[in-house]
Amino acid sequence: MSKLLHVSASPRGEESISSAIAEVFVEEYRLTHPDDVVDRFDLWDGSLPEFGPDAARAKMTVFGGGTPEGAQKTAWDAAIATFERFDAYDRYMFSVPMWNAGVPYKLKQLIDVISQPARIFDVHPETGYRALLTGKRAAVVYTSAVWGPGLGPEFGTDFQSTFFGDWLRWAGIADVQEIRHHPTLTGDYDEARKQADASARHIARTF
């Protein structure tokens, strides 16, 4: 039995296109994987901890071989608890709208909270980073309203999928499938949505 976590990065609720396409994926996944566990992590639900000064100091304490104490320990424990919540799953569905050419800041916050030494990665002075989040799979819904493949720089630049895809690979998640919805300002929204939903269903069946 596998466990799938839908990580929603959009704050728009029922108005979110990325979340709606992800739900098409989840619905098909439930039908074709009836014995699997499926959960949702709304990054805007208030459960994601900050990664502020105490957490940053704790991370440097751990890097130095020490043990966080006091306020550092409290912040570090919250970060590790979030990592463990995330790590409990072997399959992920991320719904990621484009914000200002990149990803919503809550998704970056999740990355900063869970990307910790001895959890997501370790590092060697001669060989560099080693990914630790291996053996997992991810599907990602990328949406945008203005930028689209093949358009010029006047329509923006895709730092959304380049950044997030790089983080997934850096963390050790090499098996990644993308579902894209980029109808652009002058595109055919209905046809683009049909294609995205069909892609979501197709990937979900064999995920």
Side-chain angles (χ1 to χ4, degrees):
M1 180 183 70
S2 291
K3 296 177 68 178
L4 171 73
L5 181 65
H6 172 201
V7 180
S8 175
S10 174
R12 299 185 64 220
E14 294 182 355
E15 296 178 346
S16 169
I17 302 303
S18 62
S19 293
I21 296 171
E23 288 302 326
V24 170
F25 175 98
V26 169
E27 180 180 338
E28 187 69 24
Y29 186 89
R30 289 183 187 274
L31 289 172
T32 53
H33 303 74
D35 296 327
D36 287 5
V37 173
V38 181
D39 293 317
R40 190 170 188 269
F41 186 0
D42 180 353
L43 298 183
W44 301 85
D45 67 5
S47 64
L48 186 61
E50 297 291 330
F51 199 79
D54 289 328
R57 293 187 186 102
K59 184 172 186 174
M60 293 302 103
T61 297
V62 172
F63 263 128
T67 301
E69 298 180 355
Q72 287 189 30
K73 182 180 186 303
T74 300
W76 185 250
D77 288 348
I80 297 308
T82 304
F83 164 77
E84 291 174 347
R85 175 183 179 182
F86 183 83
D87 188 46
Y89 298 83
D90 62 324
R91 302 182 184 188
Y92 303 99
M93 155 50 66
F94 297 93
S95 47
V96 185
M98 180 179 284
W99 277 25
N100 301 311
V103 302
Y105 70 86
K106 282 293 182 182
L107 180 56
K108 181 60 166 61
Q109 183 177 337
L110 173 69
I111 289 171
D112 291 342
V113 168
I114 67 175
S115 295
Q116 304 306 335
R119 269 75 178 184
I120 294 286
F121 71 94
D122 63 17
V123 63
H124 189 276
E126 295 181 358
T127 57
Y129 287 109
R130 180 170 70 96
L132 301 180
L133 206 66
T134 57
K136 300 175 184 284
R137 307 180 68 183
V140 188
V141 176
Y142 291 114
T143 62
S144 63
V146 179
W147 178 86
L151 295 178
E154 64 272 20
F155 290 92
T157 304
D158 176 20
F159 297 115
Q160 171 198 35
S161 64
T162 53
F163 164 75
F164 190 59
D166 181 74
W167 179 79
L168 289 171
R169 292 187 295 273
W170 174 79
I173 305 176
D175 187 348
V176 180
Q177 301 194 60
E178 297 181 356
I179 301 158
R180 289 183 171 270
H181 180 65
H182 308 294
T184 75
L185 296 174
T186 59
D188 186 337
Y189 173 87
D190 291 338
E191 181 59 30
R193 179 60 189 276
K194 288 179 183 177
Q195 292 177 4
D197 286 353
S199 178
R201 293 190 184 94
H202 174 74
I203 292 172
R205 291 186 193 110
T206 57
F207 192 67

